[in-house]
Amino acid sequence: MSAIEGRKIDGNLSIYLDLLRLSAAVVVFLSHAHVFLLPTIKIGPLGWGREAVAVFFVLSGFVISYVGQVSEKEWRAYLVARLARIMPVALLAIVVIFAADNIGMHVNASYYDVINTGFFTPVSVEAALAYVTFTNQLWFSHAVFGSGEPYWSLGFEVQYYLFFGLFAFSPRHAKIPLLCLWAAVAGPKILMYMPLWLMGWLAMKCVIERPPFRRPISIAMIVASLLLFFSLKFFADRTATNMYETWSLSQEVINFVYFNLIGVAVVLHLVGAASLLHQAPVLFEKTGPAIRWLAGGSFTLYLVHQPLILMFASFLHPVEERVPLAATLLVACFILCFLLAEVAERRKKFFASLIVSLLPVPSRTGQKTRVNIASDAASSDDTAPATSQLIRVLEEMQNALDGEEKVGGVHDAQPSERASRA
């Protein structure tokens, strides 16, 4: 921890990470928009959706491992922060999928028969349960609920969260057995792309535990990352499929090499950019708030855009004949995604407080009790230990959520500022 205490994520890099996260979500959004709403428009990185998910995995490993060491130092704070981040948006996505699919099929049911090739599967209770429990990608399964295809990555992501939680917080004597059990349950497909997440962890350690690289080396790393990325896209893009697909052993080998090399490119870029940004003056003073706000809705954009795009496409099918209206509906879809983000993603602290109020907190007698946050101020001496422990968990949880939003912003604050925010 001494290295982490000595060097923190600065404001430039924090905003840049948000910009990368937002860009990856927009790339996935445009990739699907190109397929279903604007197939005649062929501009920009419209076919980079698969690679954008690999970027998400690396960024996730970077951010979660950082806040896990800086602000989520206790298992309950880690659990609450993860649940508050994932569950509200995931449940919202399931509701949006169900509603948008029903509206679209009511308007034009035949359209959903046309696209029933992996992007749409009729809703089922089994798929809904797999989505809620994030077991949709265990071993060789690929459960799809309606048009919620992008949800597949959560089946990987949540498993990596679980891995990190077991690694960081389980007792030393139980760590290896628990991790082996986790690997046996997760299966080979999730393990194949775990190096992407671990690369983010490695990139974080390179950024905070060693001095920044000199400018020529940093620029060389960024150039190398771009050369590697575009070389992979040019020479190997057609040979790779999606990470969740398990067609054959040879195809899995190709996918494994392709996406993990994409991860190497992302790591080179992150470490090089972090060194450059560390030496630079404040770059995002004017644009930073806008980038941060947009990035604060990127998770919702990623999860709910697909059912909305398909619903709008069902209104217009065939879309090739109505390009101006399709473009207008695409903009409306983008705006609607960010409006939906106000319901769940931007309410993380509310949901975290709700989750904490339901957590069992040890009382003075050693029994597990649930504490009502609203009654904390009026608590008696008998409940003081439980209340103080709850307050501590709330403070750690808030620091954790702030740490995710500003990747180190809370850690930079003075103790008095942290207390006032908590």
Side-chain angles (χ1 to χ4, degrees), residues 3 7 205-213 271:
R7 184 168 175 213
K205 292 185 119 5
C206 289
V207 168
I208 67 172
E209 293 186 3
R210 56 153 290 120
F213 289 101
V271 176

Side-chain angles (χ1 to χ4, degrees), residues 57 130 133-143 151-164 179 181-198 242-246 252 256 259-260:
F57 285 175
T133 57
F134 307 104
T135 57
N136 51 312
Q137 296 297 320
L138 297 182
W139 279 80
F140 302 111
S141 62
H142 179 60
Y151 200 102
W152 71 264
S153 64
L154 288 190
F156 287 71
E157 190 82 40
V158 172
Q159 292 300 321
Y160 300 147
Y161 290 168
L162 181 57
F163 164 83
F164 183 82
L179 291 176
L181 177 62
W182 169 83
V185 173
K189 184 169 61 172
I190 289 172
L191 294 176
M192 276 179 58
Y193 299 107
M194 189 173 174
L196 287 167
W197 205 89
L198 295 177
N242 293 301
M243 281 185 265
Y244 57 78
E245 292 174 338
T246 53
E252 286 302 296
F256 174 81
F259 287 109
N260 282 292

